[in-house]
Amino acid sequence: MGGVSNASQSPLSPLPAPDRPEVAARLRDALLGASFTADGLLELLGAPAYAALARSETVPALRATRGDTPLEMLVRLFLLQQPVPHARVADTLPVDACLESGWLKRAGEDELAATVDVRPYGGPGGEDWFIVSDLGCAVGGAGGIGSRDEGVVLGVGGASTTLAGITVRTPVGAALDLGTGSGIQALHAARHATRVTATDLNPRALHITGLTLALSGAPAAELREGSLFTPVRDDETYDLIVSNPPFVISPGARLTYRDGGMGGDDLCRTLVQEAGERLNEGGFAQFLANWQHVEGEDWQDRLRSWVPRGCDAWIVQREVQDVNQYAELWLRDAGDHEGDPAEYRARYDAWLDEFEARKVKAVGFGWITLRRTGAAVPSLTVEEWPHPVEQPLGDTIKAHFDRLDHLRGHDDAGLLEGHFRLAAEVVQEQVGLPGAEDPEHVVLRQNRGMRRATRVDTVGAGFAGVCDGTMSAGRILDAIAQLIGEDPVLLRDRTPAQIRLLVEQGFLEPAR
């Protein structure tokens, strides 16, 4: 998460100089030369130790790096924050330049230590990238191994990779990463955006974003300090806006990297509502968010009220926690459970007092995607989907909005004149008692993307199975009517609603 609202800062260790790109380039070459990459780490550590790092467990990785090869030294130095002998890395790294520019510091007479954590990160096109973060924050993202100072900048976490995976990746002119943190989203955007702007309330995060981009060999972004859309000029609009904001609903704003600093879910609501006017026609805004489930209120209606005018929206709730679970999750995230028991109880009470005052019974987590549209009646889909999906989902999300455009542009008569094809890797399941002559019902199931399942009747199943783009929907229904002995006019009349559902959910795709 990146900071987008007010909170105080506490002193943290000095960072490498941001104006020495030639040193970052030399360091990058040295890291690549020693195979300090995502693939190199997996080969060195093995899958169990590599997976343990994502859980913030470092002991397996420490055991796997007890040798003195260049790669082992680099893992201990930059990822596990262990000092290493100067002599062991002198032939691997440009030590003098790294000391001068601040990537390294002396630790005793003959040892060196890193000033920041550096985590290898594989790009979607096979790029070897590096995510820079504060010491102790490269491992496990928000559950990292270091302290939780107010202004700390985290490395890669599950939320970061989720947002990167759901983002639509079409080439664009201008992209905005709002609340950039360590620059992960800006790094991804640099692959397909001509111009990238990254903002954050925390100046330390902007500094680290610059280091991430430089060390990854990516183009520099325009870095701006400020909360929400404050750093954006009135006349600026974008083709893509992404944000992994500090969405945690908490009493106060103790931790900049996660706490929004506004009451309840107001930060996420404000972010979504203000995004619409910042989007170019056809542009996407994509966020991770938390939202309150308030007593006596439909959570879906709450989210519908957030959507700005002139935007299509697709909102997916992935998880719901009751207020006790939610408070415990974020108290553990901050390490409060390991401190003074009385202070832990007081903080727990403060969370529950806040929720009780707002009549909040649970908190939802999920994805919000907006698309700027010129349609007279925008489409608004709010749904719960806690089931496994296949990342990356950017293409799936773009296809969802493309299909909505198609459906919006065709009435029932136009739909029946259209041609459709069955989406890839859709299978049919027949459900019924063993030995029964006919199934009780038929289910179509996707093995890609959202991995949806939907119940259809025999006509819907037969229709989907025949769709290969060659025949119009109407002709297919006429053939089915003849086969089952039904009036084709009646069948044409009652089937378009089912076709629309299958198209909307991605089981069928327009072929022309």
Side-chain angles (χ1 to χ4, degrees):
M1 301 178 191
V4 296
S5 67
N6 290 321
S8 61
Q9 302 289 314
S10 61
L12 290 162
S13 59
L15 296 171
D19 56 351
R20 298 291 302 275
E22 75 284 357
V23 178
R26 291 177 62 191
L27 177 56
R28 171 178 171 79
D29 289 342
L31 297 178
L32 294 177
S35 297
F36 186 67
T37 63
D39 289 341
L41 282 188
L42 181 59
E43 183 176 351
L44 171 68
L45 302 179
Y50 192 73
L53 286 178
R55 303 191 301 272
S56 308
E57 297 292 347
T58 59
V59 172
L62 287 168
R63 290 175 61 85
T65 56
R66 289 179 290 191
D68 59 0
T69 66
L71 180 54
E72 287 171 300
M73 290 295 104
L74 293 179
V75 172
R76 294 179 69 86
L77 179 66
F78 285 114
L79 193 58
L80 302 177
Q81 63 184 77
Q82 301 293 311
V84 301
H86 184 293
R88 295 296 188 188
V89 294
D91 293 334
T92 303
L93 297 176
V95 171
D96 291 341
C98 287
L99 285 168
E100 181 185 355
S101 62
W103 287 95
L104 298 175
K105 62 184 178 182
R106 298 190 185 277
E109 293 185 3
D110 60 352
E111 287 191 317
L112 299 171
T115 58
V116 290
D117 276 352
V118 177
R119 177 170 176 173
Y121 181 74
E127 301 90 347
D128 288 314
W129 288 339
F130 300 97
I131 307 300
V132 180
S133 62
D134 272 311
L135 289 174
C137 296
V139 173
I145 59 180
S147 63
R148 285 288 167 263
D149 296 296
E150 291 174 354
V152 73
V153 179
L154 300 184
V156 181
S160 303
T161 54
T162 294
L163 179 58
I166 68 172
T167 300
V168 175
R169 296 297 176 191
T170 52
V172 295
L176 172 65
D177 176 13
L178 197 154
T180 187
S182 56
I184 300 164
Q185 309 308 324
L187 182 58
H188 278 276
R191 295 184 71 246
H192 63 102
T194 303
R195 177 173 62 89
V196 177
T197 301
T199 73
D200 205 289
L201 177 73
N202 184 358
R204 188 175 184 86
L206 297 175
H207 188 145
I208 285 180
T209 290
L211 298 176
T212 290
L213 294 172
L215 194 58
S216 297
E222 184 176 0
L223 307 176
R224 300 184 191 175
E225 182 180 343
S227 177
L228 295 173
F229 288 98
T230 302
V232 179
R233 296 190 297 270
D234 290 342
D235 61 344
E236 286 183 304
T237 55
Y238 298 87
D239 306 298
L240 174 67
I241 299 172
V242 292
S243 184
N244 175 22
F247 52 65
V248 176
I249 301 171
S250 62
R254 186 161 60 105
L255 300 174
T256 306
Y257 73 88
R258 70 167 205 193
D259 298 328
M262 295 186 183
D265 52 16
D266 282 353
L267 182 135
C268 291
R269 175 186 56 80
T270 302
L271 182 62
V272 173
Q273 289 180 337
E274 294 184 356
E277 63 185 17
R278 300 296 184 178
L279 282 175
N280 293 325
E281 187 72 21
F284 286 91
Q286 298 186 263
F287 315 104
L288 301 185
N290 276 181
W291 43 78
Q292 298 172 148
H293 285 227
V294 179
E295 186 177 342
E297 177 184 88
D298 187 315
W299 69 270
Q300 293 182 327
D301 289 342
R302 182 181 191 84
L303 289 172
R304 290 187 184 97
S305 73
W306 290 11
V307 178
R309 297 180 65 179
C311 288
D312 292 328
W314 184 16
I315 301 174
V316 181
Q317 180 168 272
R318 295 288 291 157
E319 184 179 0
V320 180
Q321 291 186 323
D322 67 48
V323 292
N324 298 327
Q325 292 174 309
Y326 189 80
E328 291 162 13
L329 169 67
W330 295 109
L331 288 167
R332 286 195 301 270
D333 170 83
D336 293 327
H337 63 303
E338 297 176 344
D340 177 56
E343 186 173 352
Y344 174 81
R345 288 194 296 271
R347 285 182 170 159
Y348 200 148
D349 264 333
W351 284 70
L352 298 186
D353 286 344
E354 180 83 4
F355 286 134
E356 185 175 341
R358 295 178 178 276
K359 298 183 178 180
V360 176
K361 57 184 180 180
V363 177
F365 168 82
W367 320 322
I368 298 176
T369 299
L370 308 177
R371 185 188 61 167
R372 190 75 186 176
T373 179
V377 182
S379 169
L380 211 171
T381 302
V382 183
E383 63 175 323
E384 185 165 18
W385 190 254
H387 311 293
V389 298
E390 180 192 45
Q391 285 275 36
L393 276 170
D395 289 346
T396 297
I397 289 175
K398 182 181 183 301
H400 167 86
F401 288 95
D402 290 343
R403 294 193 305 272
L404 288 181
D405 283 343
H406 182 88
L407 292 175
R408 194 156 42 199
H410 293 78
D411 59 15
D412 285 357
L415 201 67
L416 293 177
E417 292 175 0
H419 295 244
F420 300 92
R421 66 168 60 91
L422 189 66
E425 296 194 39
V426 172
V427 298
Q428 175 179 305
E429 299 174 357
Q430 297 188 165
V431 181
L433 293 173
E437 184 175 345
D438 296 312
E440 294 178 13
H441 60 267
V442 178
V443 172
L444 299 182
R445 187 178 302 278
Q446 301 167 351
N447 287 320
R448 303 293 301 273
M450 291 293 287
R451 293 178 173 167
R452 296 187 186 276
T454 191
R455 184 171 172 173
V456 294
D457 60 20
T458 53
V459 171
F463 179 87
V466 175
C467 282
D468 61 2
T470 59
M471 294 175 61
S472 70
R475 287 188 60 194
I476 293 174
L477 289 180
D478 290 344
I480 293 175
Q482 184 176 8
L483 184 66
I484 63 177
E486 186 168 337
D487 185 337
V489 175
L490 294 177
L491 194 60
R492 278 174 172 256
D493 186 57
R494 69 177 175 85
T495 307
Q498 189 170 194
I499 296 175
R500 284 186 183 277
L501 180 65
L502 292 176
V503 173
E504 181 180 338
Q505 294 190 346
F507 291 93
L508 294 178
E509 301 170 347
R512 298 182 186 177

